[in-house]
Amino acid sequence: AQSVAQPEDQVNVAEGNPLTVKCTYSVSGNPYLFWYVQYPNRGLQFLLKYITGDNLVKGSYGFEAEFNKSQTSFHLKKPSALVSDSALYFCAVRDDTGFQKLVFGTGTRLLVSP
Amino acid sequence: DAGVIQSPRHEVTEMGQEVTLRCKPISGHDYLFWYRQTMMRGLELLIYFNNNVPIDDSGMPEDRFSAKMPNASFSTLKIQPSEPRDSAVYFCASKGSGATSTDTQYFGPGTRLTVL
């Protein structure tokens, strides 16, 4: 069975500094990896995904993530944080069998201070 | 595209009452997912459909929960009778498949359910 770990409940960063939100996964076979963001009282918004190809994936709002197969990680990054990036971030994984169940991590709250 | 549409956005009911949550997926999407989000358990998949057929309902908590998808543009999640522990935010998501699909689930805004 697949699983996702987001080891940090909260990440604090100053505006303009780079940010990293960590994610590690476990899955049988090849992983399909996703990052979503949730703003207060809103649904989850898709940021980016890795299915195959280049290990560095670029997504919405200047976010990117790097797939590292040996470390089974898919950390979310942004070179320069904005206050408006403050939100709850979820990493998710599914396998490549065609079964569509997406397993989510517990979420990491990102707080960007002015 | 209007995205995934859910109604109602908020529902407050009393214990024992029947609750029906509604979802309209993105047009052309053939997968539909129901999730529940709580502080204690995070985001859980309850059930998902493919071409209106339930594929995996292993996440449905108990027999009080049921879901239907009578056609490609509408799904319901029903709780009967409701209990206070059902209080949560319920999300619907949809996904396309095939060569032109992005293979990504898109979420609706959610229904916040409070059972008193």
Side-chain angles (χ1 to χ4, degrees):
Chain A
Q2 53 261 45
S3 65
V4 172
Q6 293 182 243
E8 301 152 318
D9 289 337
Q10 182 164 312
V11 170
N12 299 302
V13 64
E15 188 173 33
N17 285 356
L19 69 88
T20 299
V21 182
K22 296 179 180 177
C23 171
T24 58
Y25 67 90
S26 174
V27 67
S28 300
N30 295 314
Y32 287 23
L33 293 154
F34 301 81
W35 276 101
Y36 286 84
V37 60
Q38 185 178 29
Y39 296 98
N41 300 313
R42 303 283 298 275
L44 276 71
Q45 296 179 33
F46 168 71
L47 275 180
L48 52 80
K49 67 183 177 188
Y50 171 85
I51 294 178
T52 187
D54 194 347
N55 289 344
L56 184 63
V57 178
K58 294 187 183 298
S60 306
Y61 312 120
F63 284 93
E64 59 188 29
E66 186 165 12
F67 171 64
N68 187 316
K69 187 173 184 178
S70 63
Q71 297 185 6
T72 61
S73 67
F74 189 57
H75 301 332
L76 181 69
K77 299 182 180 183
K78 187 174 182 181
S80 179
L82 300 173
V83 173
S84 57
D85 293 330
S86 298
L88 189 57
Y89 290 80
F90 289 95
C91 182
V93 68
R94 70 171 177 91
D95 60 30
D96 62 349
T97 62
F99 192 59
Q100 299 295 322
K101 181 174 182 176
L102 200 56
V103 174
F104 285 82
T106 52
T108 297
R109 187 164 302 280
L110 174 66
L111 185 59
V112 182
S113 54
Chain B
D1 196 324
V4 176
I5 298 172
Q6 292 187 246
S7 65
R9 293 293 309 277
H10 301 273
E11 176 81 37
V12 180
T13 189
E14 293 189 347
M15 182 175 62
Q17 297 298 305
E18 177 180 295
V19 175
T20 299
L21 311 181
R22 297 172 176 80
C23 175
K24 177 179 170 56
I26 293 172
S27 177
H29 282 187
D30 53 351
Y31 283 91
L32 184 140
F33 305 81
W34 282 102
Y35 290 88
R36 178 172 69 175
Q37 185 179 36
T38 61
M39 289 294 291
M40 291 298 295
R41 300 176 67 89
L43 200 60
E44 306 172 275
L45 177 66
L46 300 177
I47 185 172
Y48 80 87
F49 296 83
N50 180 217
N51 292 322
N52 314 335
V53 176
I55 302 301
D56 180 13
D57 64 355
S58 61
M60 295 286 263
E62 47 197 277
D63 293 345
R64 298 185 296 106
F65 285 69
S66 62
K68 294 182 179 180
M69 193 164 186
N71 57 63
S73 59
F74 183 66
S75 177
T76 60
L77 178 67
K78 185 176 293 187
I79 308 172
Q80 166 63 15
S82 58
E83 296 182 2
R85 59 193 168 119
D86 301 330
S87 298
V89 181
Y90 291 81
F91 290 105
C92 177
S94 71
K95 186 182 87 70
S97 64
T100 59
S101 167
T102 62
D103 205 5
T104 299
Q105 293 184 28
Y106 294 94
F107 282 74
T111 296
R112 182 175 296 277
L113 173 65
T114 302
V115 183
L116 303 175

